[in-house]
């Protein structure tokens, strides 16, 4: 009888091959995970104010980058690569605003921060390209001005010599002409 | 030929030749003004032509149009497009005073374009609406995957025969001197009739 009771007790403790103690710890673990995820959401959820701030920062970053790239383009810098990055960041900012409009502040914040990250350093790169382009412009201007000056100087000298020769020829031709004598009436 | 005429001809020839020699430098220094500066905004139908625009729409279908911008402003520009939705009584942009519509934008796009560069995007949209008697209420507009609450109501238009709404796109341009976006006085739209497949 005792042996049968012991066996039954053992059977109750083992459910589906898992001892009762293990089963309890699994339940506790699951509950802990659920609560943790709930608290995680509560702790790390982005509220509207944070998203707003991220959007403003991203907007300012994008605008300052745009101004730098535009200035670089104006002086003739090849900013194609920077422009591609700027376009991508622009799409991210639009996505951030769109997510904000539908109330998805997590996504809005994430997109806005991604936008700020993407444009980081572009303004300084653009400034570098602008300086390079200005330098290249100055060099080109100097080279063409030098060639033009040399050409003009040569033209001045040749034209003076040419004028002397042409003048001499002109007078020679005039003096060499036979005077026509009109018939006396 | 008189001597004075010969002298004058020689001088003009020299000056002309001088200008030709100077022209590369002048080309580097002098920036000639470009043509008229403007930006284009357009909307095309699903066949990528200015025809077959979605008009009779139903709630269970997806529609598409193409929206495009072209920059002829002489340099890199930063554009923003606002997507707005109105019924027949909501305000449209005021073209005379250059004011945008007072309606809140539902969606936006940001575009950077160089001089003479184009941008075009396929826009897919669908609706969720109900018709009760003479009233049609659009509760949701889904554009490019964004489900937007619009809550627009309109009455049956006896004259034109339909429940008419308008989806329109406003073009804004960033002005660095202000510095902010300014409505660029251009907008495009499509009319939508919500009676198809739910005929009264």
């Amino acid at each position: 009888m005792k042996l049968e009771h012991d066996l039954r007790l053992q059977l109750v403790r083992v459910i589906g091959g898992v001892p009762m103690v293990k089963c309890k710890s699994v339940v506790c673990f699951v509950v802990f995970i659920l609560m943790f995820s709930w608290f995680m959401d509560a702790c790390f959820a982005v509220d509207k104010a944070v998203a707003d701030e991220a959007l403003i920062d991203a907007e300012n970053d994008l605008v300052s980058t745009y101004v730098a790239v535009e200035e670089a383009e104006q002086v003739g810098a090849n900013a194609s690569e920077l422009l591609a990055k700027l376009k991508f960041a622009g799409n991210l900012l639009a996505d951030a605003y769109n997510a904000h409009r539908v109330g998805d502040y997590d996504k809005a914040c994430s997109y806005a921060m991604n936008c700020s990250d993407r444009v980081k350093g572009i303004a300084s790169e653009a400034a570098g390209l602008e300086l390079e382009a200005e330098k290249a412009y100055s060099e080109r201007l100097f080279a063409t001005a030098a060639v033009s000056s040399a050409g003009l100087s040569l033209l001045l000298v040749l034209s003076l010599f040419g004028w002397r020769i042409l003048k001499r020829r002109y007078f020679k031709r005039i003096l060499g002409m036979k005077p026509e004598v009109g018939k006396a009436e | 030929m008189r001597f004075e005429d010969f002298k004058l001809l020689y001088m003009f020839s020299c000056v002309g030749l001088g200008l030709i020699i100077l022209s590369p430098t002048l080309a580097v220094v002098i920036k000639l003004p470009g043509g008229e500066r403007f930006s284009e905004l357009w909307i095309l139908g699903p066949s990528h032509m200015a025809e077959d625009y979605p008009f009779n729409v139903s709630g269970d279908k997806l529609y598409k149009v193409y929206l495009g911008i072209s920059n002829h402003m002489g340099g890199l520009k930063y554009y923003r497009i606002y997507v707005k939705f109105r019924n027949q009584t909501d305000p449209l942009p005021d073209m005379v005073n250059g004011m945008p519509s007072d309606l809140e934008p539902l969606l936006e796009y940001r575009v950077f374009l160089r001089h003479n560069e184009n941008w075009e995007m396929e826009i897919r949209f669908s609706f969720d609406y109900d018709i009760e008697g003479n009233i049609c209420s659009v509760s949701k507009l889904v554009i490019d995957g964004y489900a937007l609450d619009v809550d627009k109501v309109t009455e049956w238009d006896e004259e034109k025969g339909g429940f008419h709404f308008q989806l329109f796109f406003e073009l804004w341009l960033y002005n660095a001197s202000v510095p902010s976006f300014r409505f660029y006085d251009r907008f495009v739209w499509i009319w939508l009739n919500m009676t198809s497949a739910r005929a009264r």
Side-chain angles (χ1 to χ4, degrees), chain B residues 91-107:
Chain B
L92 268 174
D94 181 357
M95 295 297 278
V96 179
N97 299 313
M99 297 298 287
S101 167
D102 292 337
L103 295 170
E104 278 296 309
L106 300 172
L107 213 64

Side-chain angles (χ1 to χ4, degrees), chain A residues 59 73 101 148 159 170, chain B residues 1 10 25 108 110 114 174:
Chain A
E59 182 82 84
E73 282 250 321
R101 282 195 184 95
S148 292
S159 63
Y170 182 85
Chain B
M1 189 188 278
Y10 186 77
T25 309
E108 67 177 67
R110 306 266 177 149
R114 273 178 169 161
Y174 185 78

Side-chain angles (χ1 to χ4, degrees), chain B residues 51-71:
Chain B
E51 59 188 19
D52 300 331
Y53 292 102
F55 177 62
N56 290 316
V57 295
S58 58
D60 52 351
K61 281 185 186 165
L62 195 65
Y63 300 92
K64 73 171 179 182
V65 287
Y66 291 92
L67 185 70
I69 311 174
S70 190
N71 173 14

Side-chain angles (χ1 to χ4, degrees), chain A residues 2 15 40 55 61 68 75-76 87 128 149-150 160 162 181:
Chain A
K2 194 175 181 295
I15 304 163
M40 273 275 283
L55 280 173
D61 291 342
V75 296
K87 284 180 178 182
S149 306
L160 285 174
V181 181

Side-chain angles (χ1 to χ4, degrees), chain A residues 59 62-63 66-67 69-70 73-74 77-81 83 86-91 93-99 101-102 111 137 140-141 144-152 155 158-164 166-167 170-171 173-174, chain B residues 1-4 6-8 10-11 13-19 21-26 28-31 74-78 80 82 104-115 117-119 146-149 173-174 176 179 181:
Chain A
E59 182 82 84
L62 193 66
V63 159
Y66 158 68
V67 170
V69 174
E70 192 209 8
E73 282 250 321
Q74 266 178 356
N78 182 14
S80 302
E81 212 175 296
L83 188 59
L86 197 65
K87 284 180 178 182
F88 186 76
N91 288 336
L93 187 61
D95 285 339
Y97 273 106
N98 294 336
R101 282 195 184 95
V102 295
Y111 280 132
Y137 173 77
R140 200 169 65 243
L141 183 64
T144 49
V147 170
S148 292
S149 306
L152 281 177
L155 177 72
L158 288 178
S159 63
L160 285 174
F161 272 111
W163 175 242
R164 285 183 71 179
L166 284 174
K167 200 167 85 175
Y170 182 85
F171 281 119
R173 208 179 66 187
I174 296 291
Chain B
M1 189 188 278
R2 289 192 311 137
F3 181 70
E4 279 73 26
F6 178 70
K7 196 175 172 182
L8 208 64
Y10 186 77
M11 269 173 66
S13 306
C14 287
V15 169
L17 207 61
L19 283 174
I21 291 169
L22 209 60
S23 62
T25 309
L26 293 176
V28 174
V29 176
I30 298 169
K31 296 265 188 304
L76 177 67
K77 291 290 163 197
Y78 179 19
R80 179 172 72 186
Y82 272 153
E104 278 296 309
L106 300 172
L107 213 64
E108 67 177 67
Y109 300 100
R110 306 266 177 149
V111 184
F112 292 96
L113 287 178
R114 273 178 169 161
H115 178 61
E117 203 176 21
N118 298 334
W119 170 89
Y146 287 100
L148 308 152
D149 295 320
L173 181 64
Y174 185 78
F181 278 99

